[in-house]
Amino acid sequence: MKIAIDGPAASGKTSLGRALARHFGCRFVETGKMYRAVALAFQRGLALDGIEIDVSEDGRLLLNGEDVSDLLHTPGLDRGSSEVATIPAVRERLVSLQRAIADRADVVMEGRDIGTVVLPDADVKIFLSASPEVRARRRVEQRGGGGYAETLREIIRRDERDSTREIAPLNPASDATIIVTDQKTLTEVISEAIHLVKERLEGRWDHG
Ligand code: DC
C-alpha cells in the first residue's frame, strides 16, 4: 500500500503521516528531511557528488553515514531546504531514493510532490491545506510560543518558493483528496484520513 501526503509547510503532514503509518502498519517516510540533509551538506561545503543519503527504517536520516536527524530543524535549514529543492539534480537524486524505498515496503510518504511526481500511482493521495496564519500559529505553539510574526513571514516565503519553482511545484494531484484543516483538530483530520484510506481499500477489494 502506498499513501501519499502532500501540503505546504506546517500543514500537519508529519503528525498525520505518523498516525496513518502506525494505524496501517506502514513505513513512514518524511521526504522533507532528505532536502534538509542536502542543505546541511551544502552548508558544510560538500558537493552533491560527495553526498550519500540514507534513511533507516525508523526514519533516522544518515548523511555520509552520520545520523544527522537531530540537526535538521533549524530556521537556516527551513530556508536552505526550500532553496536546494529548486535544483533539478537534487530533486532527481532524492526522487529516485524515495521511489526505491517505496518499491521495497508499504509506505506513508509525505512531502510536496509525492502524489504528483514520486508516487503518481499511490493508492491514496491526501493534500493538506490550511491558511498561513493557522499554520504559523500551530508552529509557534509546537515550539512553546514566541515569534509569530517572523514565523508567518517565513511560512509565506517558503510557500511562495515551493509553489512557484519550475520543477515539481507544490500542487495537489488531480486525484488527491484535499483536507482543509483550519477548523479541524488533529484527531478529526486523522480519523477523516483513516476513513478515506479504508474506503479506498474496500473499494479496491470490491472491484477485485
Ligand atoms: O516538509 P519540510 O518542511 O521538512 O520540507 C523542507 C523543504 O523541502 C520544503 O520547504 C520544500 C522541500 N521539499 C520538497 O521540495 N519536496 C518534498 N517532497 C519535500 C520537501
Side-chain angles (χ1 to χ4, degrees):
M1 176 166 59
K2 316 281 174 222
I3 300 175
I5 304 176
D6 291 297
S11 57
K13 302 184 297 292
T14 301
S15 307
L16 174 63
R18 190 168 288 131
L20 286 185
R22 197 176 307 129
H23 190 92
F24 292 103
C26 297
R27 184 171 166 180
F28 179 43
V29 186
E30 295 164 87
T31 60
K33 280 188 178 176
M34 301 177 188
Y35 290 90
R36 289 171 182 273
V38 171
L40 176 64
F42 286 180
Q43 270 185 1
R44 291 177 170 180
L46 298 170
L48 191 57
D49 285 352
I51 302 174
E52 197 61 57
I53 287 184
D54 266 315
V55 193
S56 70
E57 273 189 32
D58 57 351
R60 307 298 293 180
L61 208 298
L62 304 178
L63 171 61
N64 291 346
E66 176 192 347
D67 185 343
V68 294
S69 316
D70 298 331
L71 308 177
L72 299 177
H73 284 276
T74 64
L77 291 178
D78 286 350
R79 194 172 43 251
S81 56
S82 169
E83 284 166 5
V84 302
T86 64
I87 303 171
V90 169
R91 300 205 72 85
E92 231 169 81
R93 269 280 291 278
L94 296 186
V95 167
S96 46
L97 174 61
Q98 291 152 15
R99 285 185 182 147
I101 294 172
D103 273 349
R104 290 196 301 267
D106 286 337
V107 289
V108 174
M109 191 172 276
E110 63 100 334
R112 303 291 189 290
D113 60 342
I114 310 305
T116 49
V117 175
V118 180
L119 303 175
D121 297 327
D123 301 284
V124 183
K125 299 180 184 178
I126 294 170
F127 191 93
L128 290 185
S129 124
S131 71
E133 289 77 12
V134 166
R135 287 183 280 132
R137 203 171 329 118
R138 287 180 188 155
R139 226 345 96 83
V140 168
E141 276 165 20
Q142 266 171 7
R143 284 199 306 245
Y148 171 78
E150 178 52 28
T151 304
L152 178 60
R153 262 197 304 277
E154 191 52 41
I155 278 181
I156 291 171
R157 265 199 295 269
R158 283 174 71 197
D159 280 358
E160 169 78 10
R161 197 160 33 222
D162 293 347
S163 331
T164 57
R165 65 178 178 231
E166 276 178 31
I167 168 166
L170 174 68
N171 266 323
S174 57
D175 52 350
T177 298
I178 298 175
I179 303 182
V180 180
T181 70
D182 294 69
Q183 313 284 342
K184 291 178 181 156
T185 64
L186 176 61
T187 311
E188 287 169 331
V189 174
I190 292 171
S191 62
E192 189 173 333
I194 288 177
H195 186 73
L196 180 73
V197 174
K198 284 186 175 160
E199 225 174 45
R200 282 296 153 77
L201 296 181
E202 279 159 18
R204 187 147 305 185
W205 290 329
D206 286 349
H207 298 110

